[in-house]
Structures are given as structure tokens and as C-alpha cells.
Amino acid sequence: MKSRIRPSGRYEGLIIGVLFLCAVVSVLTTAGIIITLLRETIGFFREVSILEFITETRWTPLFDPKHFGILPLITGTLMITAGAALVALPVGTATALYLSEYASDGVRRLLKPLLEVLAGIPTVVYGYFALTLVTPAIRSLFPETNIFNAAGAAIVVGIMIIPMVSSLSEDAMTAVPRSLREAAFALGATRREVSTGVVLPAALSGISASYILAVSRAIGETMIVTLAAGATPRLTLNPLESIQTMTAYIVQVSLGDTPFGSIEYRTLFAVGMGLFTLTFTLNIAGALITRRYREVYQ
Amino acid sequence: MSSTSNQVLGADGLNLWYGTHHVLKGITLGITRHRVTALIGPSGCGKSSFLRCFNRMNELIPESRVEGRIHFNGRDINDPEVDATEVRHRIGMVFQKPNPFPKSIFDNVAFGPRVNGYRGDLGELVETSLRRAALWDEVHDRLGQSALALSGGQQQRLCIARALAVEPEVLLMDEPCSALDPASTAKIEDLIGELKERYSIIIVTHNMQQAARVSDQTAFLLEGEIVEYGRTGGIFTRPEDPRTEDYITGRFG
Amino acid sequence: MKRRARREKDRIFKLFLVLALLAGVAALLLLLEEVLRKGLPWLDFRFLTSFPSRFPEQAGIKSALAGTLWLLGLTAMFAIPVGVGAAVYLQEFAGRNRPTAFLQLNISNLAGVPSIVYGILGLAVFVRALALGRSVLAGALTMSLLVLPIIIVAAQEAMRAVPGSLRDAAFALGATRWQAVRRVVLPAALPGILTGIILALSRAIGETAPLIMIGALTFVPFVPAGPLDAFTVLPIQIFNWTSRPREEFRLIAAAGIIVLLGVLLTMNAGAVWLRNRYQRRSES
């Protein structure tokens, strides 16, 4: 068979090489994040002991006397996350269940775009919402509430992650084979019994993956907490007080004029490292669970 | 079986694995030029996989492995120096379900010539191919329309025209009528009769009446092995192997 | 049997689901109502064409709007080719092996990295190491990395939805892998890829935190003239106005939000329009 010149096939190898490089960018991004965070974090821990970092209860790197205890930022972050989960997990799950088991096609066609709109709203807009609408409402119920408080921010972070919970959970629920539902209906089960007795358990791993990913998203959320939760790192569990999260602290530092290479500058990377580690672990867990349930039904 | 000018394609000790599954077990078979050869056998016997060996389509399936030789005009197409795309350009294929591209009728037929760097009158080639596939009269006034607007039978003839446009010597047909209604099937069967003037055709079919109607030679495959191979008339009237007789009389499969 | 009690339970359960659903929708409506009521009176031609100011009645979003458009254009320029290229590689060329699985896991994980972490990366790599400074180019590069996973995942999904039979047809006609991708798979997947791109770019122009990190300024009384100029964007302007205690600034923040949501809505409507157009063309 004679070999002919193939004008359009000549550069195949070159093209594949370029495409491969595109895919490598994503690896470089991850490597870049880890190296950047690690380098400055190591610099940070040359000056501050790890013991102080995790046991000290005050976080005041920006003024004297400096204290470097990350606990207040962690409790602040956890309070926001817990509050957001309290809002988003039940509402998101119920929404998913309604969309997958109850809604007619018409209703679904109307509601899903609305949820997509909710998911597409920029976080700074949610921050505005927390500050101008939700916090005043809380203050009218609890007058002692600070203008900046964990509760308002947490509720709005929760609203923000509802679409994430509902769409991922709904995916998991629609992946449940119809035959399972039909088997239950044929035994005389009502729609509620099918929903809670068949669909929810069968979709459980997918739903829990959606919870994990949504929680990770809440931990990393920045603008809502920067605008509405305050900038006072404080070891408290009172949601009506002003607090500070890890993300909000990072914003606070970068808004100021912190000199490059100073210890204040390095706190930014140390806190960033903590944030990255936390969300990274959750994301990997979520991805593994999602993959497992996909394997079950596909 | 040696390579003679009368033999266009031949398999020689052909083995095929998908992962650990041994699909084809040492097949040796010669395909005669300008004849229609039918591959029959129960589903899962390996007849479609065998067909895909002739244009190296199996190597697109991960974990597939081929051993043995496929001669095409005396040369082994599995030779590492042979370019798979060149093989596929000389040996065309039509699939079970019509699979036109979501493009215009013209662009569908012109696809092969374009990727192979054809430097001639594309319009003329498209017309010739459509005429040979007996589709020209139905579509000549709407070549710019999407191929997806055609009926199933027309789509399949378009896929045949598309395969003819690269000017192959051999046409592989993998159950080309299994997704079509009886009227469209009859048209394609007539077409096969005309096409063998110019092309050598290998057709996989699960429909024994079809094999008897369109083919000159028939090979009966069972569990990855050739049970019987010979003139179609002989196979269907006086099968030598009892398993062949069982199959064509409908006792299994 | 207690059939009535059972039916009652069913009704209450359904009511609970509907209420939960309405909570989300109500939040959306409340938000829109608040923003429109406060912001609309401030939204006029002068607001769109004025630079920021210490006086709310004179302040506008000219520089923020220009910065957002700069960011949008540059991000599209970087992120679209790299994102689609990576998706093509992963979906059509990469073997089904461990390195590919690792790449895939890496991408899905990157999609979940908090945006502010991308800001830290941008600050260290683009602003400092590559010495691009607090420029719109540094911002766009940071945003490109941030939206890359979105484009890759969407493009891969769109290509996965292209039937394998079309690839087989192309190969059987002697097409190389790249020819099959360029002439068959990519055109067929185009609507899905475009939708993903628009989604990604919407994300890019709505982000605030990473741009604060790389030092986009909050007070920019000029329009960037080149990619190395300092800049601000709509979300940062909104952030700045919202975080001021004076009530009037909150009002113009609302006006800015209306503009931002308007831009996003237009982009999404564009995505729907494109999708419909291509679907019609490939079906007719």
C-alpha cells in the first residue's frame, strides 16, 4: 500500500502535543497553589511556633501585641458553615426531592432555571443582601445583635448553596432506577413512602456527596462573610456577635497595605494553607463518593 | 489459501481478544473479488468483530488485541508500517444503524474525500457517489439540507454513498438493514446487487433469507470459529456440518 | 386500616417540600425586589458614564464597567482555547489509564478550590513573580485559571454526548483522530461547549475576592487603556460601596448590582439563543 501525503493529517502529532499541554495547565495550577502556599507558610512557621498557631486563642497579627492563634478564625468559619448547612441541607434536599419525585415536567422546566439564577448570582450581591435585608430582620427580633454578625451571613451563605445541594442531590435521585420505584408502588406504597423509603436511601451516597461539596463551598465563601460577618476574630459560639472567618481575614489583609515579606503578609498564606487543606480534603471525599454511586447505577 | 488475483482480502490465523475474552479463534478465510460474501451466525458469534478486523476498527476499542494476518491485495494490513487511515480509505464500511453526520447531505458525502485530501471536482464525486447509492434522484435538489431530515432508509443509502465517495475497493456492511423497514431493506438489497459490479462486499447479517438473497459466498461462524464456508447456494441447500444445518433451519440462535 | 392518616401524612409531607422550595424562590424574589426598589431611581445615563466619586450623587460605574469588559475579553482569550484544548485531549486522545484518572480528579478538585485561593496564587505568581503588577492582565490570568475547570468539564460533557457511531463513521472513512474531532465531534458538541463557556465567563465577571487579592483598586477614576493598566470591576465597585456606612452608597451599590445582574442575564440569554440556533441548524 503506497503511502500518500495527507495534507490535513500531517500536523497530527503537533496538535496532540499542544492539546496535552492545555491539559497540563490544570496540573500546573494545582502545583502552583500548593508550592505558593507551602513556601510562605514555611516562612511563617519559622517565626511562629505551630503550637502557638493551633492552641493560642487570640488572632491579632495586624496590631501589637501580636498573637497568632488560628482558633478564632476556625470557630468563625465553622459557625458560618454550620449555620449555612442548617439552612441549605434541609431546603436543598426537599427541593431536590420535590423536583425529582413530585414536580410535573412543566413545573420542573420553570423551577430549574430559577434555581440556576440563584446559583449564578455573584457572591458580592449576596453580601449586599445579608447586610441590608437579613441582618436588619435579625436585629428586629434580637435587638442586641451586632451590625456585623455570624447569623445573617450564615443564613445567606446557606441560601447561596441551596442550588448546589438541590441540583447534585436531584442528579443522584434521578439516577435511582425507575424499576425500584415501580416495585414499591406496586406494593401499594404512597408517593411519600416511595420518596423517603426507596429514593432517599438509594440516593444516599450521592446526596451526602452533595452535602460535602456544599459545605466545602460554604467554608471557602468569602464576600458574604467579609461584608456581613465582621472583622473581629473572636472565640465565641454566639451567632449574634461579630466574628471573622479565615477567608474574610485574607481579604482584610490584602485590602490593607501589608509590606511584602512581612510576618503579616505571611499569615495570609498560612491561613490560605489551612483553608486549602480543609476544602481539598472535603472535595476529594465528595468526588470519591460521587464516583462510587455513579458506578453503582451506570 | 494463497493470495491469488481473484482474492481481494484474506484472513490468516486471525485471533482477536477483547480484554480476556477470546472473540475470534484462528480464522482463515479468503474473500473473492467482486462477490458478495455473507457472514452469518448467532449473535455473539464474533461476526461483527470479524468484519471490524478488515478495516482495523477494533483497535479503537481499548483492550482489544489482534493476532494473525489480514491480507489485502497481498499485503498484511496489520503490518505496523501500514497506516490505519489508509486502510480505511481503501476499505469502506457501513454500520448497523444509519449514522449520518449532523451536516448537510453534500458535506456528508464530501467528508471522506476532504479528510483524504482529494484534489478533484468534489461536486462531481458527490453526484457519482449518490447515483451509485441510488439516492441522487431523491436528494439532488436539496444537497444543502441536513442529512438528519432524511428517512432512515435514505440515511442508510447516504451512508453507503459516503463510503463510496472515498473510492474503496471493498465495502464492509455490518447488518446494514437491521434498523430499516422492509421496503427500505429491499432497496438496499437491490443496491448491493448493483454494487458488486465495482466493489467486493462483505456483509454481516442475522437474517438468513437476506444472506441467501444477496450473497454469492457464505461463511457460518460459531463461537469465534468458521464452521463452514462456501457458495451460498450450497450452504443453504446442502450444508455439510450438522451445526450449520441446525442454524439455518432455525434450531438455535 | 389507617388509610386516612396515611393520606394526611402524605399531604403534609408534600406541603413541607413545596414550602422548602418556595423558601429558595422567595429569597430570590426578595433580593430582586430590594435591589430594584433601591437601585432603580439611581440608575441613569450619568451613572453609567461617570467615574467613581466621594459624592454618591456624582459617582458612576464607567471605570468598573470598562474594567469588567477588559477582564471578560482577556479571560475569554486565555481560558477558551486552553479549556477546550484540555477537554479535547482528555475526552478524545488520553488513554483510559491512571495518569488520565489523576488529571480528571485534579480538575474536579480544582473546581472546588475556594476562589480566594486562586487570588493568593495570582498574587504570588502573576503580580509578583511575573511582575505584571496590579494589572487587568494579572486579573484576567487569575480568572482564567479559576474558570478553566468549568470550561473543561462542560466541554468534556458535551463531547461525551456526541454518539460514538459518528466517530466510527469518520474513522471508517479514513479520518485521523484529530480530523474526526475537528470535523465531527467539535461541531456536534459546539452548543454544549458554548453554554459552558458562557457559564464560565459569567462566573469570571461576578467574582470579587480573587481580584481584591491581586489588588484591583477600589477607586479608579480612569478607563484602562492597555492590559498592563490598573483596573477595577463592577463587583469590586459594588463591594466598596456596600461596605461604606453611608446609606446613599448602599443605594448606588444597588444600582451597580442591577447593572451587573443585567450583564449576566444578557450573557445567559445569549447562551440560550446560541443553543437554540445551533440545535435548529443541526436538526432541520
Side-chain angles (χ1 to χ4, degrees):
Chain A
M1 215 164 297
K2 64 181 188 294
S3 176
R4 297 186 323 157
I5 298 172
R6 307 173 51 84
S8 38
R10 215 185 302 166
Y11 302 112
E12 184 102 0
L14 185 69
I15 289 167
I16 296 173
V18 171
L19 295 176
F20 175 71
L21 288 182
C22 290
V24 167
V25 170
S26 70
V27 179
L28 293 180
T29 308
T30 306
I33 289 172
I34 293 175
I35 292 169
T36 304
L37 291 176
L38 217 51
R39 215 180 46 188
E40 299 288 339
T41 305
I42 290 170
F44 173 80
F45 282 120
R46 283 216 188 93
E47 295 177 52
V48 177
S49 80
I50 293 189
L51 196 69
E52 177 183 356
F53 190 61
I54 55 176
T55 57
E56 166 68 49
T57 57
R58 282 164 296 177
W59 178 259
T60 57
L62 301 182
F63 45 86
D64 290 319
K66 292 189 191 324
H67 292 284
F68 298 97
I70 199 174
L71 275 179
L73 294 184
I74 300 255
T75 54
T77 301
L78 287 185
M79 200 150 51
I80 296 290
T81 307
L86 221 57
V87 172
L89 304 193
V91 173
T93 315
T95 303
L97 206 53
Y98 184 81
L99 286 174
S100 117
E101 305 303 313
Y102 285 83
S104 65
D105 274 354
V107 174
R108 204 175 297 127
R109 259 200 297 276
L110 183 77
L111 284 174
K112 291 195 76 159
L114 272 181
L115 285 168
E116 274 170 37
V117 171
L118 211 54
I121 289 179
T123 54
V124 69
V125 178
Y126 278 113
Y128 172 92
F129 186 50
L131 202 59
T132 62
L133 219 76
V134 177
T135 291
I138 296 175
R139 273 157 67 93
S140 67
L141 289 176
F142 306 98
E144 75 276 20
T145 309
N146 197 300
I147 292 194
F148 300 104
N149 62 82
I155 290 171
V156 175
V157 172
I159 293 172
M160 182 196 78
I161 59 175
I162 287 174
M164 198 168 175
V165 175
S166 70
S167 84
L168 291 175
S169 296
E170 196 205 336
D171 285 349
M173 291 172 192
T174 27
V176 174
R178 231 190 25 195
S179 56
L180 282 187
R181 293 186 183 82
E182 282 169 353
F185 278 124
L187 293 170
T190 64
R191 196 165 280 279
R192 171 185 60 87
E193 287 159 348
V194 170
S195 299
T196 57
V198 175
V199 176
L200 275 185
L204 197 61
S205 59
I207 296 172
S208 47
S210 85
Y211 289 178
I212 291 174
L213 295 176
V215 162
S216 158
R217 181 77 197 280
I219 292 175
E221 165 44 37
T222 309
M223 293 321 292
I224 300 173
V225 290
T226 300
L227 276 168
T232 30
R234 186 180 290 161
L235 199 58
T236 174
L237 287 177
N238 180 356
L240 304 180
E241 278 188 77
S242 167
I243 52 127
Q244 188 167 42
T245 65
M246 298 198 274
T247 52
Y249 171 74
I250 296 175
V251 169
Q252 188 194 4
V253 174
S254 60
L255 277 174
D257 47 1
T258 320
F260 174 69
S262 65
I263 183 75
E264 293 90 334
Y265 178 76
R266 289 192 168 137
T267 57
L268 199 152
F269 293 86
V271 174
M273 189 77 206
L275 182 66
F276 178 73
T277 314
L278 205 56
T279 51
F280 182 85
T281 314
L282 289 172
N283 293 340
I284 294 283
L288 292 180
I289 294 175
T290 311
R291 185 184 300 174
R292 219 178 49 198
Y293 95 78
R294 289 223 170 112
E295 274 164 11
V296 174
Y297 292 122
Q298 278 175 13
Chain B
M1 254 175 270
S2 69
S3 159
T4 64
S5 64
N6 210 21
Q7 180 182 315
V8 59
L9 268 171
D12 192 358
L14 186 72
N15 281 284
L16 172 71
W17 288 266
Y18 289 152
T20 56
H21 179 45
H22 197 175
V23 185
L24 299 176
K25 300 163 186 163
I27 289 188
T28 299
L29 181 95
I31 303 290
T32 315
R33 200 181 295 277
H34 296 302
R35 292 282 182 277
V36 177
T37 305
L39 306 177
I40 61 169
S43 37
C45 71
K47 54 191 191 297
S48 286
S49 308
F50 183 33
L51 193 72
R52 292 169 71 95
C53 288
F54 289 116
N55 62 347
R56 291 177 55 175
M57 286 297 274
N58 280 320
E59 59 194 57
L60 299 169
I61 298 169
E63 299 192 4
S64 74
R65 192 159 57 85
V66 179
E67 262 177 27
R69 272 179 301 220
I70 298 274
H71 301 288
F72 177 47
N73 290 330
R75 174 139 189 212
D76 181 10
I77 65 165
N78 288 328
D79 187 321
E81 279 179 27
V82 173
D83 183 4
T85 60
E86 182 65 25
V87 172
R88 293 174 194 146
H89 155 232
R90 307 279 292 278
I91 301 176
M93 186 168 207
V94 176
F95 296 84
Q96 266 189 37
K97 276 190 193 152
N99 53 358
F101 300 124
K103 297 168 181 284
S104 71
I105 293 171
F106 186 93
D107 285 345
N108 261 279
V109 183
F111 182 92
R114 280 181 178 148
V115 300
N116 288 297
Y118 180 76
R119 286 172 211 276
D121 185 341
L122 209 51
E124 200 181 296
L125 182 61
V126 168
E127 178 176 343
T128 314
S129 309
L130 284 169
R131 279 192 193 282
R132 286 189 186 159
L135 190 61
W136 175 255
D137 293 339
E138 291 161 60
V139 301
H140 67 92
D141 53 348
R142 48 174 172 147
L143 294 177
Q145 273 186 24
S146 169
L148 302 181
L150 299 174
S151 74
Q154 288 174 323
Q155 287 188 2
Q156 194 62 307
R157 276 179 285 146
L158 178 68
C159 292
I160 294 175
R162 186 173 65 182
L164 298 181
V166 292
E167 301 176 313
E169 285 178 51
V170 181
L171 205 52
L172 309 174
M173 303 181 116
D174 188 0
E175 302 191 23
C177 302
S178 62
L180 303 181
D181 59 82
S184 305
T185 301
K187 271 192 186 154
I188 304 251
E189 287 181 4
D190 289 347
L191 183 58
I192 292 172
E194 290 165 27
L195 288 173
K196 73 173 177 184
E197 306 283 319
R198 292 172 184 277
Y199 309 95
S200 311
I201 295 172
I202 309 178
I203 179 169
V204 164
T205 177
H206 58 243
N207 176 337
M208 272 163 297
Q209 284 78 27
Q210 183 171 62
R213 280 195 301 266
V214 303
S215 71
D216 306 300
Q217 302 276 330
T218 296
F220 172 57
L221 272 84
L222 193 60
E223 289 171 359
E225 289 175 279
I226 301 276
V227 172
E228 194 164 347
Y229 178 45
R231 290 180 41 79
T232 301
I235 294 255
F236 279 93
T237 51
R238 292 175 304 279
E240 285 171 10
D241 195 295
R243 289 172 295 175
T244 313
E245 185 169 4
D246 284 351
Y247 180 67
I248 60 180
T249 53
R251 248 169 261 167
F252 71 92
Chain C
M1 231 179 63
K2 304 161 278 185
R3 185 170 291 165
R4 182 176 295 164
R6 205 165 149 214
R7 207 160 41 197
E8 198 56 31
K9 254 189 185 167
D10 265 49
R11 198 172 300 149
I12 291 169
F13 182 70
K14 187 176 175 186
L15 191 70
F16 163 71
L17 294 186
V18 172
L19 283 179
L21 183 87
L22 289 180
V25 176
L28 180 64
L29 294 179
L30 259 168
L31 170 62
L32 291 181
E33 191 271 340
E34 161 87 4
V35 166
L36 287 175
R37 181 168 49 79
K38 288 195 173 159
L40 265 187
W42 290 82
L43 189 59
D44 54 16
F45 188 68
R46 189 207 52 75
F47 181 72
L48 295 175
T49 55
S50 301
F51 287 115
S53 161
R54 286 185 296 127
F55 309 104
E57 58 281 356
Q58 288 174 20
I61 54 167
K62 182 174 183 179
S63 46
L65 207 51
T68 289
L69 290 178
W70 265 100
L71 189 77
L72 183 69
L74 289 176
T75 305
M77 217 170 80
F78 301 128
I80 295 173
V82 176
V84 176
V88 167
Y89 178 78
L90 287 168
Q91 197 59 35
E92 304 290 333
F93 291 97
R96 296 281 162 263
N97 48 29
R98 259 170 192 283
T100 310
F102 169 75
L103 275 173
Q104 212 71 79
L105 185 67
N106 177 52
I107 287 166
S108 70
N109 181 60
L110 275 179
V113 170
S115 59
I116 195 154
V117 173
Y118 283 95
I120 297 178
L121 177 70
L123 176 65
V125 174
F126 300 127
V127 177
R128 303 263 187 214
L130 297 181
L132 298 175
R134 315 186 145 199
S135 63
V136 64
L137 181 61
L141 287 169
T142 308
M143 278 306 168
S144 300
L145 295 185
L146 181 108
V147 302
L148 216 47
I150 306 176
I151 297 182
I152 296 176
V153 169
Q156 272 193 279
E157 237 165 65
M159 286 189 275
R160 203 174 299 137
V162 176
S165 66
L166 293 186
R167 287 183 189 80
D168 278 355
F171 291 136
L173 291 167
T176 61
R177 262 188 193 277
W178 169 243
Q179 286 173 327
V181 168
R182 195 175 71 83
R183 290 168 182 264
V184 176
V185 179
L186 280 181
L190 197 60
I193 295 177
L194 283 176
T195 311
I197 287 173
I198 290 181
L199 209 71
L201 293 179
S202 310
R203 172 85 190 275
I205 64 172
E207 275 291 346
T208 321
L211 296 178
I212 293 179
M213 289 302 302
I214 66 141
L217 303 177
T218 50
F219 184 78
V220 179
F222 56 85
V223 167
L228 289 175
D229 282 0
F231 72 111
T232 189
V233 291
L234 276 174
I236 288 192
Q237 191 64 69
I238 293 165
F239 165 67
N240 177 260
W241 283 334
T242 306
S243 57
R244 292 194 196 191
R246 257 181 80 184
E247 175 66 16
E248 287 91 338
F249 279 111
R250 298 267 167 88
L251 300 180
I252 57 174
I257 289 174
I258 296 176
V259 176
L260 179 61
L261 292 181
V263 172
L264 290 173
L265 201 69
T266 313
M267 288 175 67
N268 283 296
V272 172
W273 179 77
L274 271 173
R275 199 163 40 188
N276 288 344
R277 209 176 93 111
Y278 275 98
Q279 262 163 9
R280 248 207 319 276
R281 213 168 73 178
S282 58
E283 275 162 16
S284 68

